[in-house]
Amino acid sequence: MSTLKKQIQKGESRYLELKKEMPAGQQIIKTAVAFANGAGGKIVFGIEDKTFKILGLSDEQLLNYPDQLSSMIFDATIPSIIPEIYVENNDGKSLLVINIYPVYAKPCFIKSKGEMDGCYVRVGATNKKADRPVLEDLRRQARNVSFDEEAAYSVPNYMEALSRAKTGFYRLTRKELNDNDLLSLKLFVKEQEQLFPTKGLLLLGGHDQMNYAKINAALFKGKNTDIFLDRKEFTGPLYEQIEDAMVFLSKHLALQSEITFLQRKDKYEIPLVALREILVNAVVHRNYAITGADIKLAIFSDRVEITSPGILPSSVTLEDISNGRSEIRNRVIARFFREIGYVEQWGTGIAKAKRLCKEAGLSVPQLIETGGYFKVLFSTQHSNGELNGELNGELTKRQLVVFKEIRKTPGITANQLSVITEIPFSTVDKYIRVFLKNNLIERRGSKRTGGYYLKED
């Protein structure tokens, strides 16, 4: 099986758009711009919209499309995108592939709309118009500078933030921060022989200018957000916010007792270390250019959710981070956290959280990218293997196979389930109807790009 066919069978993604034929309007240009602003991608023509079945294109389409598409994309974009276009044969049918490479002079946008209205990025399998923080992030990528490495000019009282950062560093490491450390950790930058604090120092020192960088924690009654039982807002130095949030979690998570060899051992319903790993990840990797949002820690009767502002970096997918790949969004914060022992090794936090949850008999945390946020969801429900024991008596063996895949890959489509499980599409479709009827799963998203998720409520 060819690499392209395998990609098609998995469905549309951050790197792949599938089309039956050339659509009207600027849809293709938007996709090309979104791919160019990310890590690149392919647009493949000749694929049935809903089932992703390979249909192929006619000889006339194969002759006319390349020139039309190449000119349309090149002429409509700034900087101009030069697509690679070729024909690939699959199952005796001809597909047209447009390969879009990332541009380095970001942001890329649609010429007729201008930078503010014509810039798009890829979120999952959809194109989203870039707002101001995303545009700024793209400009920083072009300069190879992270948000927290930027100098903070004309900031009053930054010495207070420096004092707090130094005090916290000494408390956690028993080491003093000297002048060389301040430069090597990029808490300060030198420009024209003058020293300026970085935004990273302001964040790490809890400066008032960064008061939006906080953790909002809440305990809710039941499975929804209707009734608050407790609510706290944690501000100040970032590492202290994590400490305060962990106290909140330890106060409100249920303790369970286990008797072993005549001794009682208490443990939390979700391993605290797993939650701490994800909280640290959220603080280190959130998009601090987004000033109107904060990290949210929500405790429900059946789950804990940690939500961080900002989509994943353009070159990283949910699958990548599940497999241990890490792209550091905030280099100053990451270096500081590494020095104080909050980060042991890049890219291991999510893997560690998954392992600890499995060892505790829980489902692995779900990773969800939605809108402009990244969420990690921990279930408090114990599992038998990967499934709640109650379900094992209600579902057949083949139904369990499909159900496990939905739990493992939130947002998966029926076609993808059929390919992965090697169960006919019609049978998978029948199982899905059973799951929906019994309120075990739900469908989210549009007809074309939506998928199936475990029912949360």
Side-chain angles (χ1 to χ4, degrees):
M1 185 186 294
S2 71
T3 302
L4 181 61
K5 186 173 181 181
K6 287 177 184 176
Q7 292 173 339
I8 291 168
Q9 287 180 337
K10 289 180 181 178
E12 293 182 319
S13 68
R14 181 178 283 206
Y15 305 116
L16 186 67
E17 180 100 345
L18 303 174
K19 297 291 179 192
K20 185 176 180 181
E21 53 194 16
M22 195 185 303
Q26 293 185 321
Q27 193 174 343
I28 294 299
I29 301 171
K30 288 178 183 178
T31 301
V33 165
F35 283 157
N37 279 322
K42 289 185 176 74
I43 308 170
V44 183
F45 291 91
I47 308 296
E48 207 283 323
D49 291 340
K50 293 178 183 175
T51 63
F52 305 137
K53 180 181 177 184
I54 295 175
L55 301 176
L57 295 177
S58 68
D59 290 344
E60 185 179 354
Q61 288 170 319
L62 292 170
L63 286 170
N64 293 332
Y65 278 8
D67 286 343
Q68 291 176 27
L69 289 163
S70 182
S71 298
M72 180 172 68
I73 293 170
F74 182 87
D75 293 340
T77 54
I78 296 178
S80 296
I81 297 170
I82 304 174
E84 176 191 17
I85 303 178
Y86 58 90
V87 176
E88 183 167 319
N89 190 280
N90 266 279
D91 297 339
K93 293 169 184 174
S94 296
L95 302 175
L96 191 71
V97 182
I98 305 178
N99 204 356
I100 304 292
Y101 294 99
V103 298
Y104 296 100
K106 293 177 174 139
C108 181
F109 56 92
I110 298 173
K111 189 188 299 184
S112 62
K113 292 189 171 186
E115 188 178 87
M116 284 303 300
D117 291 320
C119 182
Y120 292 85
V121 291
R122 195 79 169 169
V123 180
T126 60
N127 305 318
K128 297 283 185 185
K129 191 163 89 167
D131 57 16
R132 190 175 293 279
V134 173
L135 278 169
E136 290 172 359
D137 200 36
L138 290 169
R139 293 188 192 110
R140 276 190 291 272
Q141 286 178 39
R143 303 193 328 263
N144 194 28
V145 174
S146 64
F147 174 85
D148 58 350
E149 287 177 321
E150 291 182 326
Y153 305 104
S154 305
V155 176
N157 304 322
Y158 73 81
M159 292 301 290
E160 291 179 17
L162 174 60
S163 177
R164 282 192 289 267
K166 282 185 169 182
T167 301
F169 190 86
Y170 181 78
R171 173 173 65 84
L172 294 163
T173 66
R174 292 300 165 193
K175 297 177 191 172
E176 300 277 1
L177 278 175
N178 60 39
D179 291 346
N180 287 334
D181 295 328
L182 297 178
L183 285 170
S184 65
L185 291 173
K186 291 199 175 180
L187 298 175
F188 280 82
V189 290
K190 185 180 280 189
E191 294 184 6
Q192 297 179 347
E193 299 306 311
Q194 189 175 350
L195 289 177
F196 295 97
T198 62
K199 292 175 180 176
L201 171 63
L202 303 186
L203 287 162
L204 290 163
H207 193 277
D208 287 345
Q209 186 171 302
M210 300 295 181
N211 60 9
Y212 64 89
K214 57 192 174 185
I215 298 176
N216 243 315
L219 171 69
F220 297 100
K221 182 178 181 180
K223 300 179 182 181
N224 55 50
T225 58
D226 291 347
I227 302 173
F228 282 100
L229 296 179
D230 193 10
R231 189 174 186 175
K232 291 285 189 295
E233 186 176 272
F234 305 124
T235 58
L238 298 182
Y239 45 88
E240 289 184 5
Q241 292 183 31
I242 293 171
E243 292 169 354
D244 293 338
M246 291 308 299
V247 171
F248 186 87
L249 280 164
S250 60
K251 176 184 174 183
H252 291 303
L253 282 179
L255 271 172
Q256 300 167 339
S257 296
E258 195 176 77
I259 306 298
T260 57
F261 299 104
L262 304 181
Q263 292 182 324
R264 194 180 93 165
K265 184 180 178 183
D266 291 333
K267 62 178 184 177
Y268 288 96
E269 55 185 335
I270 299 173
L272 285 181
V273 176
L275 290 161
R276 185 180 179 278
E277 290 289 338
I278 301 305
L279 267 175
V280 169
N281 262 21
V283 169
V284 171
H285 296 297
R286 73 152 279 184
N287 188 342
Y288 287 99
I290 302 173
T291 59
D294 48 36
I295 292 171
K296 288 188 167 45
L297 168 61
I299 304 174
F300 299 90
S301 62
D302 64 339
R303 68 194 187 279
V304 172
E305 295 179 357
I306 298 171
T307 306
S308 180
I311 60 176
L312 292 174
S314 58
S315 59
V316 179
T317 65
L318 291 174
E319 187 178 0
D320 289 335
I321 60 174
S322 295
N323 294 331
R325 179 175 166 182
S326 177
E327 183 171 312
I328 300 167
R329 193 195 293 271
N330 300 295
R331 297 171 194 160
V332 177
I333 296 168
R335 286 190 201 100
F336 193 92
F337 271 42
R338 182 73 181 268
E339 290 293 320
I340 64 176
Y342 274 41
V343 173
E344 294 175 7
Q345 193 175 348
W346 308 128
T348 59
I350 288 174
K352 186 175 181 180
K354 284 184 168 185
R355 175 176 57 78
L356 290 168
C357 287
K358 278 185 176 180
E359 289 172 359
L362 299 168
S363 304
V364 297
Q366 291 183 42
L367 312 179
I368 303 164
E369 188 180 31
T370 172
Y373 295 88
F374 176 67
K375 179 190 293 186
V376 181
L377 187 153
F378 290 84
S379 173
T380 59
Q381 304 301 307
H382 274 264
S383 61
N384 179 4
E386 281 194 294
L387 290 174
N388 187 316
E390 298 172 58
L391 297 175
N392 284 314
E394 298 175 8
L395 302 177
T396 67
K397 214 175 247 186
R398 290 182 94 195
Q399 286 174 329
L400 278 172
V401 170
V402 176
F403 191 87
K404 284 182 182 181
E405 286 299 331
I406 297 173
R407 165 165 277 173
K408 183 178 167 187
T409 314
I412 196 168
T413 66
N415 186 65
Q416 291 166 344
L417 283 166
S418 176
V419 172
I420 292 168
T421 61
E422 297 182 350
I423 295 173
F425 179 84
S426 58
T427 305
V428 168
D429 190 52
K430 185 169 68 178
Y431 292 166
I432 284 171
R433 288 199 296 271
V434 171
F435 300 157
L436 289 168
K437 185 179 177 183
N438 286 277
N439 214 31
L440 297 176
I441 65 170
E442 61 185 354
R443 181 177 174 82
R444 298 183 205 161
S446 67
K447 254 186 176 180
R448 193 169 69 85
T449 62
Y452 297 97
Y453 298 76
L454 292 197
K455 189 78 172 176
E456 292 181 4
D457 298 314

